[in-house]
Amino acid sequence: MSVSPAAVGASEPVATPNSASDPAPHSTPNSAPHSSPTQAELLDFVRRTAADAELIASLPLDPEGRTWVRLEGPGGSEAWLIGWPPGTGTGWHDHADSVGAFVTAAGELKEHSLAVRLPADGWKTLELADDVDRSRRLPAGKGRSFGRHHVHEVLNESTALHAVSVHAYYPPLPQMRRFSRNGPILRLEQVERPEDWQ
C-alpha cells in the first residue's frame, strides 16, 4: 500500500450533520487510464488493506477527532485509512454516483443505512417510510460494499476504544450530500464538493 505524502488529517468529533466528517479530497489528476474497479474489487482491496497490521498500526490516533491517511486505491479509486475515537461518527450522508466499500480493521463500527433511493434534486425534506432503516455491526474483519446513491451513517459507539477502518470509492467522490434526521424526517443540509474537503 502506498500513502500519499502529507495526507494525514484530523478533525473534530462529529456533532452535527453539517460537520465535514468524511475525508475526501480530490483524486490525483495525472492518473493513467485504467478500467473501473467493481464493488467486489473495492471490497477485496479494503479487506486486504485492513489485514495489513503494520499499516493499521501506523495510523496516528487522536483521542478527540477522527484521523485519516490517503491510500492508493485500485484502478484510480479514492481510498482512506480512518481512525475513529470513541463516540464519533459521520452523520447521515451519501456518495453521489460513486460505489464503495469499507472494512473495520480494529475495534467495531456500526452502520445505519436507508434501503431507499433518494431523489437526486428538487427536495429539501422527505418523510421516510417505516421499513427503510437497516443497521449492522461491523467488528474487526467485517465490512461491506455498496452501490451508487447509498445513504448511511457510520459510528464508533464504544465509550473507550478507537476503531480503525479502510474505505475505497470509485469514481473518486464528486460530491457528498449531508442530511439531518429526526425520526422519519430526513432533511438535506449541505452539498459538499471536493474543493470543500481540501
Side-chain angles (χ1 to χ4, degrees), residues 7-68:
V8 177
S11 66
E12 295 299 311
V14 176
T16 67
N18 289 331
S19 298
S21 58
D22 267 350
H26 65 284
S27 64
T28 306
N30 296 324
S31 299
H34 46 74
S35 62
S36 302
T38 65
Q39 284 179 237
E41 290 168 333
L42 293 176
L43 185 58
D44 179 62
F45 167 80
V46 295
R47 283 185 173 144
R48 284 184 289 108
T49 305
D52 183 339
E54 185 177 339
L55 177 67
I56 301 309
S58 75
L59 179 67
L61 299 177
D62 183 316
E64 295 183 18
R66 292 196 309 148
T67 54
W68 55 86

Side-chain angles (χ1 to χ4, degrees), residues 86-116:
T88 57
T90 62
W92 287 96
H93 65 282
D94 70 5
H95 309 94
D97 288 325
S98 297
V99 299
F102 69 101
V103 167
T104 305
E108 180 175 279
L109 294 173
K110 185 168 189 182
E111 180 196 37
H112 299 292
S113 62
L114 299 178
V116 63

